[in-house]
Every structure is written in structure tokens, then in C-alpha cells.
Amino acid sequence: MAEDWKPRTRLVHGGARRSQYAEVSEALHLTQGFVYESAAAAEARFRDAGPDEFIYARYGNPTVATFEDRIAALEGTEAGFATASGMAAVSGALMALTRAGDHVVAARALFGSCLYVLEEVLARFGVEVTFVDGTDLDAWRAAVRDDTRLVFFESVSNPALEVVDIAAVAEIAQAAGALVVVDNVFATPVYSRAVDQGADIVIYSATKHIDGQGRTLGGVILGPREIVRGPVEAYMKHTGGALSPFNAWVMLKGLETLDLRVRAQAETAARIAAALEGHPKLARMIYPGLPSHPQFELAQRQMGTGGTLLAVELAEGQAAAFRMLDALGIVLISNNLGDAKSIATHPATTTHQRLPEAQKAALGITPGLVRLSVGLEDPDDLIADLRRALDAV
């Protein structure tokens, strides 16, 4: 029966585990370890723990397992491993699946911490990384080699909202025997069809839309059971990046309203983008749901939406961007995204500030660029707030 459930039903009921008390809301198992009936039972469990048997919270926990099963059922993967943060998921997947001498091809437009893992950490351990323009399929073809272990990209890039063609890149990578690892945060699990489009591994920062209310950190690595319960689980449980039971419980509560929240946020983002496009203070409005976006047709085919984020480039640069940010009354200045509260970020001086100026320019991270994560406020209030802020420039 569960296999026939539609997404909203899976988000509420998927992977449910109930104790002997038959609680309605998922139980929060705040425990580090578990008790065995005998020494022999402990030996047997350490040798071969069953799917609903637990040893230690770093290895697994009933509340965490419920979250893993629920998000895997939604994404359409066999398994998931929940991590302490989104970056724990990114670094864990990349470290677990590569070794010295491997070759990785990655899109150049990535979150700053992802770039650090690829440029600094993997390189330190002897993994060769080639960066390409993620929107250029010829660049992918030229970079992928017979010894390429995996390709990695954000399906929608942070912060300039470039859309990468998952199906086309997957075809190129898999022809060479490489795994396709997709950071799918901006697409969200609501609009994701990454697995159907060829992704082998899908990563989310659950801190973003899955929690959706700015409370806790978390991440998840989703994919085939042999990978997730093989090298990924082995690496994560021995290096300590597992999600806490409390955070998993918060994420479960977030999943129940995820579909409703994300659809409302995407609808509002589209209204804001349409209302502000062409504003005289803006050099560019960047939103994948607008026909003016260079990958508009791909975004519609791949996600069916423009998503919950947009970016604007102030024509007069950083000083104008700062004046706009300081004039906002509803939208908050912060560096998170996917929250119920709308958030504005200046990437060049915050999330991507460590990058050299030439690299920022190549990624479209100009001094005037502001990223906007749209929340759940009234769309008319947000449009009015943004217009007032632009008038102050």
C-alpha cells in the first residue's frame, strides 16, 4: 500500500515506527546506546544487526531511521544516511566514494564550503578534481575520462541559480562508468526528479527547506542500498557525522509540511520575480522561472518550477546592494535559505567571500548580487518591502 502513496502522504506517514505505546507523533529516542538481553545477543547484533536493530547512536537510532526511510521513500531511493549537517553529507559522500588516484569532475559554480572540500580536502588526499562550466555539456564531455570516479554538481547553483541538466550530464558520466552525485538543495525534495533523471546519489542539506524554520542542522545522503549502507555508512559511522535523534525528530516534523511550504514559497518567488523584473535599479533579475533566464526551458523540464530562490544584481554594485539590504523591513539579512522567513544574502562578502575576485566574477558573484530566499510571508508585503528597499538605493 505504501508504495502507492502520493508524496504528501509519504511525507506524513512514510517510514513510521511506533513503540509499544502506539503514539501518534513519532517517538523521540534520546539515547546514546541500547541494551541487549544477553552477552550472546550483543555479539549477534554487532556481527549482523537487523534493519530495525540498533547498537549506538552514531551508527543508527529509531528516530533517525524513521527520517532516513521517509525521505528516501519521497526521493525514490533504496536508502538514506542522515548526517549532522548538509556539509557533513557533501564531504561524507565525496570522501566515502573516492580514494587517492581517483578523478572527479565538478561544476565550478558551487557553495563555498563545497569548493573547499573539492579544492583543498580531496586534493590533499590525492584525488584529482577538474572543474567545468556546469551548463556546458561539451565541457563535461571533454572533462570526463575513463578513470573518472564521479561527477558532482548542484542541480541549481548557489548563488547565481545556474541550472545543470541532470539527465544529460548523467548520460555523459555513466557512459564512462562514473557515479552521478547531485546536491539538490535548491530544487528541494518537492520538485526533485533527480533519480529518474539519472542521479545515483542525491544530497540535501536538511537545514534548509526540510526543517524550513531555522531550528536545527542536518543533512542526508540518498541512493542505492549497496552504496549508502556500504561505503557511505562505514565512513560516516566511524568518523562521527551522524544526525542527532532530536534533530531527526525536528526534521520529521518539517517533512509533514514540506510540500505545502515549498509550493507556497515557489509561487511567491515567481510573483516577486515578475513584479521586480525590469526595475531601473537592477542590472539583472535572476530566476529560473522567468523566460528571461538562460535555462528557463530546462528548469521547467527538470523541476516544473523556478524554485524558492531568486537573485538580483544591483546596477551600482556593492554600495547599492548594502543600501538595499539595510533598507529592508520584513526580509532579514542572514546567510541561511529555505526558511519560513524571507532572507537576503550578499554572497560576495559572506558565503563566497573567500574566493578570489576572478573566480567570483567567473561564477557571476558580482559586488551587486543579492540572493533572496523567499519565505512564507504575504507576497504583497514582500513585494512592497523589496520595492521600498530598492527606492532607498
Side-chain angles (χ1 to χ4, degrees):
M1 183 190 302
E3 292 78 11
D4 299 328
W5 288 347
K6 290 181 169 57
R8 283 193 189 178
T9 307
R10 294 185 183 194
L11 285 167
V12 175
H13 294 290
R17 287 170 170 78
R18 287 189 170 87
S19 74
Q20 69 271 32
Y21 300 110
E23 61 279 343
V24 172
S25 181
E26 294 79 6
L28 173 52
H29 294 274
L30 281 179
T31 182
Q32 299 154 321
F34 301 85
V35 176
Y36 314 100
E37 294 181 357
S38 66
E43 179 189 28
R45 190 171 300 181
F46 267 78
R47 184 187 302 116
D48 185 22
D52 223 28
E53 293 182 331
F54 302 94
I55 295 171
Y56 189 58
R58 182 159 46 83
Y59 290 26
N61 170 283
T63 308
V64 176
T66 301
F67 170 67
E68 292 169 340
D69 290 350
R70 187 167 296 179
I71 189 68
L74 177 67
E75 192 69 22
T77 62
E78 293 178 341
F81 192 94
T83 63
S85 68
M87 282 311 306
V90 170
S91 61
L94 293 175
M95 292 294 288
L97 297 175
T98 58
R99 62 181 63 192
D102 281 347
H103 178 238
V104 170
V105 182
R108 66 184 183 181
L110 297 169
F111 176 54
S113 294
C114 295
L115 287 169
Y116 175 81
V117 171
L118 289 157
E119 293 174 333
E120 303 287 340
V121 179
L122 288 188
R124 191 183 307 157
F125 289 96
V127 177
E128 180 185 357
V129 181
T130 300
F131 289 96
V132 299
D133 178 347
T135 65
D136 185 344
L137 295 180
D138 286 336
W140 286 103
R141 292 187 188 98
V144 171
R145 310 186 314 221
D146 290 341
D147 64 342
T148 301
R149 170 62 176 155
L150 60 85
V151 302
F152 174 72
F153 57 90
E154 295 169 353
S155 55
V156 181
S157 73
N158 182 4
L161 305 175
E162 295 179 353
V163 184
V164 177
D165 190 332
I166 297 173
V169 175
E171 183 178 359
I172 294 166
Q174 290 164 352
L179 293 170
V180 179
V181 182
V182 179
D183 183 331
N184 216 30
V185 169
F186 280 28
T188 80
V190 172
Y191 294 118
S192 171
R193 296 192 293 274
V195 173
D196 293 339
Q197 292 158 353
D200 296 299
I201 302 293
V202 178
I203 294 169
Y204 288 105
S205 171
T207 309
K208 310 302 191 293
H209 300 89
I210 292 173
D211 173 8
Q213 290 156 82
R215 298 167 294 192
T216 58
L217 296 176
V220 65
I221 304 167
L222 299 154
R225 185 170 287 104
E226 64 178 350
I227 293 178
V228 173
R229 293 301 163 199
V232 168
E233 180 178 298
Y235 179 84
M236 295 306 302
K237 75 181 185 181
H238 291 300
T239 56
L243 184 65
S244 78
F246 177 79
N247 287 16
W249 184 83
V250 173
M251 299 302 177
L252 282 166
K253 297 295 98 182
L255 284 178
E256 292 179 351
T257 60
L258 176 67
D259 189 275
L260 299 171
R261 288 185 286 105
V262 166
R263 291 186 188 280
Q265 288 167 312
E267 181 179 339
T268 299
R271 285 187 58 183
I272 292 171
L276 298 184
E277 187 175 32
H279 193 286
K281 301 293 178 67
L282 299 180
R284 283 193 302 163
M285 163 62 72
I286 308 170
Y287 182 62
L290 287 175
S292 57
H293 191 281
Q295 291 97 40
F296 168 73
E297 292 182 2
L298 172 61
Q300 294 303 307
R301 185 170 71 249
Q302 192 159 284
M303 299 185 296
T305 179
T308 69
L309 289 105
L310 54 89
V312 295
E313 183 178 352
L314 278 293
E316 297 179 16
Q318 180 174 317
F322 275 27
R323 285 196 296 272
M324 173 193 166
L325 289 167
D326 291 345
L328 291 167
I330 298 173
V331 180
L332 307 176
I333 303 173
S334 187
N335 52 286
N336 193 24
L337 61 94
D339 199 286
K341 300 176 177 67
S342 291
I343 290 172
T345 306
H346 188 252
T349 56
T350 58
T351 57
H352 291 72
Q353 58 82 25
R354 62 173 283 274
L355 301 183
E357 292 304 318
Q359 190 173 1
K360 289 178 188 175
L363 299 176
I365 305 172
T366 64
L369 188 75
V370 174
R371 187 191 71 194
L372 178 65
S373 172
V374 176
L376 293 174
E377 301 94 343
D378 187 279
D380 292 334
D381 287 341
L382 290 175
I383 291 169
D385 190 38
L386 290 162
R387 281 181 170 152
R388 280 193 298 268
L390 288 169
D391 288 343
V393 174

